[in-house]
Amino acid sequence: MSKVYVKTFIIKTYGPNKLFDITDRVEKIVEESPVENGVVTVFSHGSTGALVRLKPEQVEDYSYALWDLVPIKGWQHPGNAYAHLRSTLISTKLTLPVINSKVVLGPARVYFVENQCYIARERHITVVVEGE
Amino acid sequence: MKTVVKELVVETEGTYYAVDLTSTVAEEVKKAGIKNGTVTVFSEDPLCPIFTIEYEPKLMSDLVTYVKKLSSDETKARLLAATVLGTSLTVPVVDGTPVTATFQQIVLLELNKEGGSRKIYLVIQGE
């Protein structure tokens, strides 16, 4: 019989171009869920953040590369178009396999990308674990 | 856990026409009677990506500007954009509602040369 387990947590971020490691929070939710095998969907609320899976040693390069993906200037939407476009392009969701109650991540970790010029911004992240 | 599948058709009026699917998806999730789980929104047409964005005219116009810059040839730019944006999206459902935020809509973008009737599949899973 399939099961579903849902939890939302909040992180405090700052930015722009900062990555926040949320792997431990996601792993804990998967471990406390009744699901042994299935998928976990991680979703960040809002339209300026993003979720990515990277190796820790790739984070610094990535944070600079974001300027190449979408430059800050040249848009019509006032102020933060670059952050919205990055969020849409990179996506606010990640779906990962769950095997034997563990998230399959390989050598990588899950990061929330803060694109906005904020200090102590609260970001809500919902995790859904589905399977048997 | 149950699974409810729904087929929908949306009309697009031409290239770069965008459709805000947020309220339609929320209604179907409500009808499905699933409180907690996920909804996967899938566009049958490979050139009609589905993604989240703040559905605001200037920002949609910025997205089209971005798409056009992906290649010097506009047809190629549209092909690239469709695969970068992707034609499926999964959103959590909590307390019977998809968890998209106030400024975060579920949007389909027409990237074919002409508009038309586009089929959308919703797969709502949960309890």
Side-chain angles (χ1 to χ4, degrees), chain B residues 36-48:
Chain B
N36 293 299
T38 52
V39 53
T40 296
V41 191
F42 174 81
S43 152
E44 188 189 58
D45 191 303
L47 290 191
C48 289

Side-chain angles (χ1 to χ4, degrees), chain A residues 1-4 6 41 43-47 69-70 75-78 81 84-85 88-89 92-93 126 128 130, chain B residues 1 36-38 51-54 56 58-59 61-63 66 84-85 90-92 94 99 101 103-104 125 127:
Chain A
M1 182 69 183
S2 289
K3 297 161 192 146
V4 58
V6 181
T41 298
F43 186 89
S44 66
H45 303 215
S47 54
L69 182 69
V70 185
W75 312 108
Q76 294 180 44
H77 180 79
H84 283 290
L85 292 173
T88 294
L89 292 164
T92 58
K93 67 122 172 66
T126 295
V128 184
E130 289 173 301
Chain B
M1 196 169 105
N36 293 299
T38 52
F51 48 86
T52 58
I53 193 166
E54 181 184 345
E56 184 276 324
K58 285 182 178 167
L59 188 61
S61 166
D62 287 338
L63 179 64
Y66 188 92
V84 167
L85 293 165
T90 300
V91 177
V94 179
V99 299
F103 300 110
Q104 182 182 34
Q125 291 182 295
E127 341 189 283

Side-chain angles (χ1 to χ4, degrees), chain A residues 47-58:
Chain A
S47 54
T48 56
L51 293 173
V52 297
R53 189 176 74 94
L54 287 171
K55 293 180 187 175
E57 63 268 29
Q58 295 163 339

Side-chain angles (χ1 to χ4, degrees), chain A residues 6-9 22 26 40-47 49-51 87 91-96 110 112 123-128, chain B residues 37-39 51-53 89-94 97-102 104-106:
Chain A
V6 181
K7 274 264 169 104
T8 296
F9 64 88
I22 58 167
V26 174
V40 56
T41 298
V42 189
F43 186 89
S44 66
H45 303 215
S47 54
L51 293 173
S87 175
S91 173
T92 58
K93 67 122 172 66
L94 273 181
T95 299
L96 303 162
V110 180
F112 175 83
R123 294 291 196 174
H124 291 66
I125 293 164
T126 295
V127 178
V128 184
Chain B
T38 52
V39 53
F51 48 86
T52 58
I53 193 166
L89 175 72
T90 300
V91 177
V93 172
V94 179
T97 308
V99 299
T100 49
T102 311
Q104 182 182 34
Q105 280 70 48
I106 300 168

